[in-house]
Structure formats: C-alpha cells, structure tokens
Amino acid sequence: MRRCDLPARDLRLLDPLFVYPSTILGREKAIVVNLEQIRCIITADEVLLLNSLDSYVLQYVVELQRRLKATGAGDVWQSESRDFADVSRNSSSDYLPFEFKALEIALEAACTFLDSQAAELEIEAYPLLDELTSTISTLNLERVRRLKSRLVGLTRRVQKVRDEIEQLMDDDGDMAEMYLTDKKLRMDSIYYGGDQSVTGYRSNDGLQSASAPVSPVSSPPEYRKLEKSISFARSRHDSMRSSESSKQNIEEMEMLLEAYFVVIDSTLNKLTSLKEYIDDTEDFINIQLDNVRNQLIQFELLLTTATFVVAICGVVAGVFGMNFPITLFDNPTAFDWVLFITGVTGLVIFCSFLWFYKSRRVMPF
C-alpha cells in the first residue's frame, strides 16, 4: 500500500482466496489488473504479480520480457531517467510506455485465454447438439445441460471483460490516470526543476550580497514571495501542458483498448451464436416432442372412440343377456342378425366420429 499508494480495497481484488470479476483500475501511481489468471499491479517501472508459479503467469512474464528486449525498453528508460529532455524524442507514434506494454500483454493473455475456451466449447458443442437432434436420450440431454451451464459461466466472464474495457473507453479520466510514466516524469521534473530554481536564486542572492549589502530582515520574505510566484507559474504551465498532452496521448490508450475490445467482442459473438444454436436445438427438440405428444393424443383418442363403440356392443349383449322370455330367442337366425346389426351400427358410429375429427381438423387423415 505504501509502495504503490493503493487503498486496501484495491488490494483485496487481487486476493487469491476470493473470486472477483475482471477489473482494471487506474490509480495515481499504479494500475490494478484482475483479468482471469493475471492478477498484478503495474507501476511505471515494474509489475508485481501474484501466483508466480502459474503457467499463465509464467507465459505473461516471458512475453513481457521478450517484448521489452525486442523494443529496447530498458535502454529507453535508462536514458529517460538520466535526461528528461529525451522524452519528446522517444514519444513517437509507435512508442508505448512500460505500463501500456504490461497492460497490453495482460489484455492479450485474457482475451486469448477466453477465446481458446470459447473455441474448445464450440468444438465440443456442435457435434453434441447434432447428435441430440437425431437421438434424444437422457445421456445426451444431461451432456447438453452441462454444456449450457459452462457456456453461461464463460459468457458472463467474457461479458465482464468486455464491459470493463468499454467502461474505460467511455471515461477519459480513467484512461488519463493510466499514464503513470508521464505523471512520474512530470513530478520528477517539477521536483528537480524546483531544486535548480532555488539553487540558482541562492547563488544569485549570494552574488548580490557580495556586491551590495542587503538587509537580513527584508530578504527572506522576498525570497519566499519569489519562490511562490515561480512555483505557481511552473505549476500552471505544467498543468496546461499536461492537459494538452493528455488529450493527445489519451488516443494511444483508447486505440489500445479498442483493439482488444474488438477481440473480446468477437469472442462474445461466438458465444452468443453458440447459445442461439443451443436455443434453436432446444426449440427443435421441443417441436419433436410436441409432435410425438400429439401423435400419442391422437392414438389415445382413436382408442377411446373404439372403446365407446365396443361398449355399445356390450350394452346390446347385456340387454339380451337378461332373463326374460321373448319370441326372438326361438328364431335360429336371430343371433346372426343381432351381431350384424350391432356391428354395422358400431362401424357407422366409428366412421361418424372419424368424419367429425377430420372436419374439426383434430386428426390429419
């Protein structure tokens, strides 16, 4: 906290015992980064990393060292620490300060990690969904359920990174806070410039006192008044120059964030397309299940109608089964006629029901 001038709540974002969403915070002397596996504090001179034995963190360190060696950043920073006048020569269009390079590699690592997970999910999802459309089983449904839960979790993480980058791009003040090197150089120039002005004034004061005596009572107030006026003019000049330079230099951070915003937005579009494909597959399965359910209902309706017709035959059998004497029982062909008339009547009733179902479009005949 003393080293990077950070409050405790910012450091809690990096606590490995807690799970916090992806966050990028710009502070006065540091940038707090919590992006997936990369949890670090970036200053103008160094990067403080957690989980140094993690493979992703090791890849981050190797990539940062490689880029710093490739661009010769170490020599640049040494020359800047010796002479502040070289800043204007080094600040070209393709020049990025140390904190930007560290932040860029962190964004690249997070976007690459999320994109690789999205690609693996796509490779696993599409064949499984195609298999589910052809064979609806409990095992396939359970696999799709697990796949969808993974998709929802990954989408939330990607959405959080995208929202964080978009929030930074919308706020110019937060982007300006991330120019740690410029702020450090301005503070050092003010500090060393102030010392030089005081030394020069004292030397002039000494020369003046050697040539002409000055009252010891009146010289300190004039010295303090002159020092205040010099510091006030320098602070106004530095603030105006820093505001102009921040408007110009903020485009570097904006372009950097915009590049990775496009990458993470592409990953989010992949996951959105996959979710839509899963939703389409679920709709297709629901349509298939509804079709099977409708066929079962139609079959049940036919069985109910046939049972009703058979029940009519049962009523006739029950009536003639009663113990009462009639002359019809003495006719030897009466039994055949009863069966024939009952069967024809049942068939006519059954056909009438089928015609009714067809007229009402209950069944597609």
Side-chain angles (χ1 to χ4, degrees):
M1 291 170 60
R2 291 191 298 269
R3 182 174 180 176
C4 302
D5 195 13
L6 291 175
R9 69 171 180 228
D10 292 343
L11 295 181
R12 290 192 184 96
L13 297 175
L14 308 178
D15 196 342
L17 299 179
F18 298 97
V19 179
Y20 287 99
S22 297
T23 308
I24 302 175
L25 298 177
R27 295 297 183 249
E28 182 65 26
K29 295 183 180 180
I31 300 174
V32 181
V33 178
N34 179 15
L35 292 174
E36 294 300 318
Q37 305 294 333
I38 306 299
R39 297 185 178 188
C40 62
I41 300 174
I42 302 173
T43 65
D45 302 319
E46 60 186 356
V47 179
L48 307 176
L49 288 161
L50 292 176
N51 301 327
S52 59
L53 299 180
D54 189 79
S55 60
Y56 293 100
V57 178
L58 291 176
Q59 292 177 5
Y60 174 83
V61 174
V62 171
E63 181 65 20
L64 180 59
Q65 291 176 349
R66 186 188 67 81
R67 294 194 183 183
L68 291 178
K69 291 179 181 178
T71 55
D75 298 336
V76 172
W77 295 118
Q78 290 178 3
S79 64
E80 286 180 351
S81 63
R82 291 200 280 286
D83 188 9
F84 296 107
D86 294 334
V87 177
S88 61
R89 293 197 299 267
N90 290 327
S91 59
S92 59
S93 59
D94 57 348
Y95 172 76
L96 287 178
F98 173 78
E99 64 272 13
F100 282 16
K101 294 179 181 178
L103 180 60
E104 180 182 8
I105 298 175
L107 288 171
E108 181 181 352
C111 294
T112 304
F113 177 72
L114 293 174
D115 189 70
S116 63
Q117 284 195 341
E120 292 176 359
L121 201 62
E122 282 183 333
I123 295 174
E124 183 182 355
Y126 286 113
L128 179 59
L129 294 173
D130 294 336
E131 182 182 357
L132 182 62
T133 55
S134 59
T135 305
I136 301 175
S137 62
T138 305
L139 179 61
N140 290 336
L141 289 174
E142 179 64 23
R143 292 170 62 187
V144 171
R145 185 191 66 82
R146 294 178 183 176
L147 179 69
K148 191 173 182 179
S149 63
R150 289 170 53 193
L151 175 63
V152 171
L154 183 59
T155 304
R156 289 177 181 174
R157 290 158 54 192
V158 173
Q159 183 69 45
K160 179 56 182 172
V161 175
R162 181 185 179 278
D163 293 342
E164 192 67 24
I165 296 176
E166 186 177 10
Q167 183 179 359
L168 287 175
M169 292 173 60
D170 293 337
D171 195 340
D172 295 342
D174 290 343
M175 287 191 289
E177 284 291 331
M178 295 184 181
Y179 285 81
L180 304 179
T181 302
D182 292 345
K183 291 190 290 186
K184 181 181 178 182
L185 294 178
R186 285 198 299 268
M187 293 298 294
D188 292 341
S189 64
I190 292 174
Y191 177 75
Y192 289 114
D195 289 344
Q196 293 175 0
S197 64
V198 172
T199 304
Y201 179 76
R202 287 177 179 174
S203 63
N204 293 330
D205 190 15
L207 293 174
Q208 185 178 2
S209 62
S211 60
V214 181
S215 175
V217 179
S218 60
S219 59
E222 293 177 357
Y223 165 72
R224 287 194 296 268
K225 189 180 299 183
L226 181 60
E227 185 178 2
K228 288 182 180 179
S229 62
I230 291 174
S231 62
F232 178 72
R234 182 180 292 109
S235 63
R236 286 190 60 187
H237 176 68
D238 291 336
S239 63
M240 292 174 62
R241 186 174 59 185
S242 63
S243 62
E244 294 176 357
S245 62
S246 63
K247 290 180 181 178
Q248 297 175 356
N249 294 334
I250 205 172
E251 296 179 357
E252 298 178 358
M253 174 59 73
E254 189 174 3
M255 288 187 293
L256 175 65
L257 295 175
E258 185 178 357
Y260 291 98
F261 178 80
V262 172
V263 174
I264 200 67
D265 189 63
S266 175
T267 304
L268 184 62
N269 290 333
K270 290 181 182 178
L271 297 176
T272 304
S273 301
L274 181 58
K275 186 178 183 303
E276 292 177 355
Y277 192 82
I278 292 177
D279 293 338
D280 294 339
T281 304
E282 290 179 350
D283 294 338
F284 179 74
I285 292 173
N286 290 329
I287 291 173
Q288 284 186 333
L289 294 177
D290 291 339
N291 187 24
V292 173
R293 191 180 299 111
N294 292 333
Q295 291 177 358
L296 291 175
I297 292 174
Q298 292 173 3
F299 183 70
E300 183 182 3
L301 186 59
L302 289 176
L303 289 180
T304 303
T305 305
T307 303
F308 176 73
V309 173
V310 173
I312 294 176
C313 298
V315 170
V316 174
V319 170
F320 282 96
M322 293 182 182
N323 191 10
F324 60 92
I326 57 174
T327 57
L328 186 61
F329 292 155
D330 298 333
N331 189 356
T333 60
F335 179 73
D336 297 334
W337 281 104
V338 170
L339 288 179
F340 177 74
I341 295 173
T342 304
V344 171
T345 304
L347 183 61
V348 170
I349 293 174
F350 186 75
C351 293
S352 300
F353 275 109
L354 293 181
W355 177 80
F356 176 76
Y357 295 153
K358 184 178 180 180
S359 63
R360 293 292 182 175
R361 295 183 180 178
V362 177
M363 292 185 180
F365 293 116

